[in-house]
Amino acid sequence: MYDRMYTLSKKDLNLIHNGSMRILKQTGVFFADSEVVELFKKHGFKVDGRIVHFDEKEVQKALETSPSKFRVTARNPLRSVTVGGDDVVFAPGYGAPFIVTSQRKRRPAVMEDYDNFCKLVHSSPHIDMNGFMMVEPADIPASRAHLHMLLSNIVLCDKAFMGSPVSRAGSQDALEMAGILWGAKESIRNKPVMVSLINSLSPLKFSEEMAGSLVEFALYGQPCIIASLIQAGASGPIRLAGVLTLQNAEVLAGLTLAQLVNPGTPIIYGSASAITDMRSGALAIGALETSKIISATAQIARYYNLPSRAGGSLTGAHIADMQAGVESTFSLLTAARNGINYILHSCGILNSFLSMSFEKFLLDEELCGMVKRVLTPVPITEETISVDTINRVGIGGEYLSLEETLILCREEFFEPRLMYRDSYDIWRASGERRADQRAEELLGERLSGYKKPDLDREIERSLKKYVEKNE
């Protein structure tokens, strides 16, 4: 395939790999969880306090057992997803404490917002999987918010969902609740039913919460994204090659831990890295360099024969304006075209991960549909090239009234709901609405038309009892 975007050579990839191996051996990685450190000691790793040093052979052994492709089972089997290979999964935004309203005001997110995002994901024709912590609800104490978010994930949406890696206890709650849904906790052992996000603490650290959660999920063979968020020039080198090398070391350290716990645990090679705006010191996820990091991440993951994760509709904009549209399209299209398998933050994100917007969620959702259609091959057959039709119409004819046109007119082209195509006069007459204003109207339609998916009443009661008991 021809693409003007730079392709890393085998020499480039080897340099990144070798650099990461030197970092892992010489400097090592700090793990705040003492049980994790003991696990490394037990397996013969060199340990200095809580710093673990890795030999290349230990990393290679872990890579040999980490699968290149796996399937995540949804409670509605028709909505299960495959991660890896040529498959791509679109998932919503993650981790935002704020909501930007249609009046362009920012407020703390609440549980009702989280529930509404679950409803939108369930009814979405383009978002493949439900998330976790699409927003952080401020109206529920943080120590138990994950229980309510997991309950909403399972009850309000029948797509596959993400687990709660907020702590060891949080990950155990996710496993217990998934066990209730699938009949028994043992029934999900080594059967992927959720994906959880494990973030390193750059540079070269894993917090107690993240390391502990990774162990718990790996014990049951539940897939995890090992992701690094490095700010080039702040928490990592200013050169992108250095960022990729440091990021690689952190991801491989997490992957090695997961394989020590349970060989064969599916791991997604992840990145949320971006640059630092050198004028303000802020994280700039909408910068064009993010697309270069995304492209390289996909290539490095393929070098190790691993599925990959990167961000989707990423922007530093504070509202759903042109900046948000341009930056989001850059990163989402790059991720999809360059082979990222799991695209987190596909819709809704503003302000460099700090905010979610319902209107931007719907605009990004339509963008996801467009990207999917762009990736769909044009079918070339004797029938589709239409030579007989072209000859029949002849010189100077028209195709609008043909039966073929009438039959295919509703499905052959992508039909956007929010992008305007009518004439200027019709646009004026219909209220001169911007795309985000049309999204606000569509939001009301989607939420009022939402229908809760069927779930066995006894299972739902058991899930709610578990949440009440563990609060």
Side-chain angles (χ1 to χ4, degrees):
M1 180 187 294
Y2 177 76
D3 198 321
R4 281 196 170 93
M5 199 156 189
Y6 181 71
T7 301
L8 296 175
S9 67
K10 187 67 179 290
K11 179 183 177 182
D12 296 334
L13 292 164
N14 286 338
L15 280 170
I16 291 170
H17 169 80
N18 292 336
S20 298
M21 292 303 106
R22 294 204 306 274
I23 292 167
L24 288 172
K25 185 169 186 174
Q26 295 169 12
T27 301
V29 177
F30 178 90
F31 289 87
D33 188 296
S34 57
E35 290 183 33
V36 167
V37 175
E38 289 302 313
L39 179 64
F40 278 115
K41 281 185 181 178
K42 178 183 173 183
H43 283 85
F45 284 69
K46 178 185 174 184
V47 175
D48 180 13
R50 294 195 178 185
I51 298 173
V52 179
H53 299 267
F54 298 74
D55 283 331
E56 184 170 2
K57 63 181 181 180
E58 295 161 338
V59 176
Q60 292 291 0
K61 182 179 178 181
L63 285 165
E64 288 170 5
T65 58
S66 193
S68 61
K69 192 172 184 177
F70 59 92
R71 189 157 181 82
V72 185
T73 302
R75 73 173 178 90
N76 178 352
L78 297 177
R79 302 185 117 176
S80 299
V81 296
T82 300
V83 182
D86 291 329
D87 292 287
V88 58
V89 173
F90 290 78
Y94 191 110
F98 299 108
I99 289 286
V100 172
T101 69
S102 58
Q103 289 76 40
R104 304 184 177 191
K105 304 295 183 182
R106 195 172 82 166
R107 62 167 174 79
V110 295
M111 194 64 209
E112 183 182 1
D113 298 317
Y114 191 90
D115 289 346
N116 284 336
F117 281 120
C118 287
K119 294 174 182 178
L120 292 175
V121 171
H122 175 73
S123 60
S124 175
H126 306 304
I127 305 306
D128 304 299
M129 185 169 173
N130 203 1
F132 175 74
M133 206 187 292
M134 280 84 79
V135 291
E136 299 181 50
D139 55 339
I140 300 178
S143 60
R144 53 191 173 93
H146 69 280
L147 292 164
H148 293 270
M149 289 187 280
L150 286 168
L151 180 64
S152 293
N153 280 357
I154 296 171
V155 172
L156 299 178
C157 178
D158 65 4
K159 296 181 180 180
F161 60 91
M162 296 186 73
S164 61
V166 294
S167 62
R168 272 188 185 265
S171 56
Q172 290 166 352
D173 286 330
L175 293 165
E176 293 289 346
M177 293 176 74
I180 292 170
L181 179 61
W182 269 276
K185 191 176 176 183
E186 280 305 306
S187 69
I188 66 167
R189 189 183 290 275
N190 297 323
K191 172 188 174 181
V193 297
M194 58 185 148
V195 174
S196 299
L197 176 62
I198 305 297
N199 289 311
S200 59
L201 187 60
S202 301
L204 298 172
K205 287 185 178 182
F206 280 86
S207 69
E208 184 177 7
E209 295 82 3
M210 291 289 104
S213 293
L214 177 56
V215 169
E216 295 298 325
F217 285 122
L219 282 169
Y220 279 81
Q222 294 305 308
C224 287
I225 302 165
I226 310 293
S228 175
L229 195 172
I230 296 171
Q231 279 188 244
S235 59
I238 194 166
R239 292 189 175 97
L240 296 189
V243 169
L244 296 172
T245 304
L246 175 58
Q247 170 181 282
N248 192 50
E250 293 176 358
V251 173
L252 292 179
L255 179 145
T256 301
L257 171 59
Q259 301 309 306
L260 290 180
V261 174
N262 183 6
T265 297
I267 295 298
I268 302 172
Y269 186 110
S271 170
S273 299
I275 67 165
T276 303
D277 184 285
M278 287 302 173
R279 294 169 297 183
S280 65
L283 175 66
I285 67 171
L288 65 88
E289 287 82 4
T290 300
S291 290
K292 301 180 83 166
I293 294 170
I294 289 171
S295 176
T297 296
Q299 295 174 66
I300 296 169
R302 286 195 293 274
Y303 175 82
Y304 295 116
N305 201 26
L306 294 170
S308 57
R309 169 260 168 165
S313 301
L314 304 178
T315 182
H318 298 285
I319 60 173
D321 59 5
M322 184 174 178
Q323 177 188 341
V326 169
E327 292 178 345
S328 296
T329 303
F330 245 107
S331 53
L332 183 69
L333 189 57
T334 299
R337 287 192 61 178
N338 284 261
I340 293 294
N341 301 112
Y342 194 95
I343 304 180
L344 195 58
H345 304 297
S346 289
C347 50
I349 281 291
L350 289 169
N351 190 206
S352 292
F353 301 132
L354 290 177
S355 302
M356 282 281 280
S357 157
F358 287 105
E359 291 74 27
K360 185 167 186 287
F361 182 102
L362 295 178
L363 289 163
D364 289 341
E365 178 190 63
E366 188 154 287
L367 178 60
C368 289
M370 292 176 173
V371 168
K372 284 184 174 183
R373 183 61 71 94
V374 165
L375 298 181
T376 304
V378 175
I380 308 295
T381 65
E382 284 293 334
E383 180 184 8
T384 61
I385 64 175
S386 307
V387 171
D388 291 341
T389 300
I390 294 168
N391 285 333
R392 186 171 70 253
V393 171
I395 300 169
E398 57 84 21
Y399 292 81
L400 193 59
S401 61
L402 291 184
E403 182 181 7
E404 179 184 51
T405 303
L406 297 174
I407 292 172
L408 297 177
C409 65
R410 289 183 175 84
E411 60 186 57
E412 189 67 16
F413 308 139
F414 182 85
E415 289 291 337
R417 295 197 64 183
L418 299 175
M419 307 299 169
Y420 212 83
R421 291 176 172 175
D422 285 329
S423 70
Y424 177 79
D425 291 336
I426 293 176
W427 173 73
R428 286 290 303 272
S430 62
E432 304 179 1
R433 293 168 301 158
R434 301 186 308 268
D436 60 318
Q437 293 172 322
R438 291 193 291 277
E440 183 182 1
E441 294 173 7
L442 179 59
L443 175 64
E445 293 177 24
R446 283 277 291 277
L447 292 178
S448 63
Y450 166 81
K451 292 183 180 179
K452 182 180 171 185
D454 291 334
L455 178 63
D456 181 275
R457 290 183 180 179
E458 188 55 41
I459 290 176
E460 186 169 347
R461 275 196 293 268
S462 296
L463 288 165
K464 289 180 178 177
K465 284 181 182 177
Y466 182 88
V467 170
E468 291 168 4
K469 176 184 175 183
N470 287 277
E471 281 192 298

